[in-house]
Every structure is written in C-alpha cells, then in structure tokens.
Amino acid sequence: RDLHVRSRRQRQMCIRDSSSAMMPGASTAQTANRCVASDAASASGIIMRLLYSKPSPYASKVRLAAHHCDLKLELVPTDTGSAPAELIEANALGKIPVLILDDGTSVHDSKVICEYFDRLSGNLLIPQTMEAWLQAKRTESLIDGATECAQLRLYEVRYRPEEMRYQPMMDKQWGRAMRALKVLDGEVAALPDQPNIAHFALAADLGWLSLRFGGEWEGENPNLVRWLEEFAKSYPAFEELKPMA
C-alpha cells in the first residue's frame, strides 16, 4: 500500500463525505474540520522557508511532515558550522531546522515545527485521542533522544583530536542510544498503519543512523530494520526526503 496516496485520498474523501473517512477516535465534525483545514493550507499558496541540511534527521522529519500535510517549503541549505547571519537571526541557538513564516516569524526546533504543521493542517500529523497521542509522542521522543545520544558520539570523533577524545563518554552515549532502540524494536509493530509523527520521526532518525552508523545498530534491532524497509516501500517520498550526505 502507498500510504501517501492513501492519506491524500482520505482528505479528498472527507470533503465529499466526512463520515466515510473518519479517523479512529475522531468525530465526524473533527474529521471534516481536519480535512478542510488541510485543504485550506494547501490552497493558500504560501510557501514557508526551511533552513536545513540534507544529512539532518530532524530536517528530514520536518520535510516528511510537510509532505504529508501537503505544505510547500522553500528549502534553504544551511551550514551551521559557519553560523550564517540568517540562521543566527532566526534561531539564536544556531541550530537547524528552522521554519521561517511569510511574516518573518521563525519556528524551531523540529518538534515545534511539526506541531505547527499539525495545527495548520487540522491535526493530520498528531493523533488526538489520548492513547494514540501518547504512543506517537512517546515514540518520537524516544527515537529523537536516541539520535541525540548517537550524535554526541559522532561529534566527539568529528571535532576532537584523537588524543582528546573521551571514550567512556562515547560508550555511555552509545549505550543510551542502543537501549532506546531496543525498546523501540519491541514496540514498532504496534504502530498504526496510517502514518503520523511517530512514523516520520522513526524513519528520519533510523535513516540517519544508517547513514552515520550503518552496520552498528541493525543486528540487534531486526524489527526496526524490517519496519524501515517496509516504510520506504509504502511511502515512496522517503527516498528523496531521508537524510543524505
């Protein structure tokens, strides 16, 4: 199944007949509002600017989320290492991704940007029932946290001379990442078929781990490997939007 095609069809069906495409746990009115909001956002013609880099897992998550919500982005490749003025003005932390709205307002980080997309689209990204919301946000938080730990290990090697690297810290961070992946490996089968923020966070972060640590995490997490392969097949846009060197 092509999940992207299905999600688009759902939004079209909602406008014609809201009851026929109602999301689990949502009322007919909520589903209709969700679809109308998404249609209005797509029809507005407003293109938001995204400061990003291709390897960034968090930028990948944002781009996947925007694609799912039919929101247009003007992509602005940004080198955080050179601290360009536009980035620092938009985000004093000097981190990406940063979303710049048509009025100049900046939105960061990736979780906040995705929540903004969710509100703009009428909740196409984040489930609204308590149980589904908790599953989605917990998954997003855990995989993002695992990636942050793995990034600390990467940065230790990238930015410190070999004689200054602190191996115990690198081992500790990698251990944290592996514990989180092990939990997710046992839970990934419970994710719903319809993609939400959990799917996009998981796909983007696992894509980054494959890019930077290919061969180091897959052996102990076969369910995550299988899930990523199946997601890539069912969501063709991932091939273009995944983290790349």
Side-chain angles (χ1 to χ4, degrees):
R1 281 181 298 190
D2 187 328
L3 298 180
H4 172 59
V5 171
R6 188 178 67 173
S7 66
R8 287 176 182 271
R9 286 175 179 169
Q10 280 187 325
R11 294 197 285 275
Q12 294 167 356
M13 289 171 65
C14 280
I15 294 173
R16 292 196 301 268
D17 180 1
S18 60
S19 63
S20 67
M22 188 162 57
M23 295 292 289
S27 68
T28 301
Q30 287 173 326
T31 305
N33 289 341
R34 190 172 295 162
C35 296
V36 170
S38 176
D39 186 64
S42 298
S44 66
I46 296 175
I47 300 179
M48 297 167 282
R49 303 176 71 235
L50 183 72
L51 308 187
Y52 88 115
S53 72
K54 283 189 174 182
S56 168
Y58 309 117
S60 175
K61 176 176 69 172
V62 166
R63 294 172 68 200
L64 284 164
H67 180 272
H68 185 70
C69 295
D70 291 334
L71 298 172
K72 297 179 181 179
L73 297 177
E74 177 188 339
L75 300 177
V76 182
T78 303
D79 176 16
T80 58
S82 64
E86 183 177 30
L87 173 62
I88 301 305
E89 182 178 351
N91 181 3
L93 296 172
K95 295 182 177 183
I96 55 171
V98 181
L99 185 72
I100 301 178
L101 309 184
D102 61 318
D103 65 355
T105 301
S106 61
V107 184
H108 49 82
D109 58 6
S110 66
K111 287 186 175 69
V112 180
I113 294 172
C114 288
E115 288 173 8
Y116 177 77
F117 288 167
D118 184 63
R119 287 174 175 262
L120 191 63
S121 67
N123 306 126
L124 287 175
L125 280 174
I126 302 175
Q128 297 301 291
T129 63
M130 181 59 73
E131 183 177 359
W133 176 89
L134 185 59
Q135 180 195 45
K137 295 300 290 183
R138 180 177 178 275
T139 299
E140 179 190 21
S141 177
L142 195 55
I143 189 59
D144 278 357
T147 298
E148 290 168 4
C149 291
Q151 284 177 328
L152 289 175
R153 175 190 164 187
L154 178 69
Y155 295 158
E156 186 75 7
V157 173
R158 178 179 292 177
Y159 297 116
R160 287 184 186 273
E162 185 173 0
E163 64 275 11
M164 295 181 64
R165 294 171 192 165
Y166 188 52
Q167 191 64 44
M169 188 280 289
M170 295 169 62
D171 293 342
K172 182 176 183 178
Q173 296 301 333
W174 187 248
R176 287 174 171 175
M178 291 301 99
R179 288 199 302 271
L181 290 182
K182 180 56 62 179
V183 171
L184 291 166
D185 191 70
E187 297 180 352
V188 68
L191 289 179
D193 289 339
Q194 179 63 23
N196 60 42
I197 191 60
H199 298 70
F200 302 132
L202 198 58
D205 286 324
L206 292 179
W208 181 83
L209 285 169
S210 296
L211 177 66
R212 299 305 190 196
F213 296 100
E216 294 191 49
W217 66 272
E218 295 91 339
E220 297 182 8
N221 301 285
N223 295 328
L224 289 178
V225 172
R226 189 179 310 112
W227 181 91
L228 185 61
E229 292 173 348
E230 293 174 353
F231 179 84
K233 291 177 182 178
S234 63
Y235 208 91
F238 180 65
E239 184 63 28
E240 178 184 352
L241 303 176
K242 68 182 180 181
M244 301 180 191

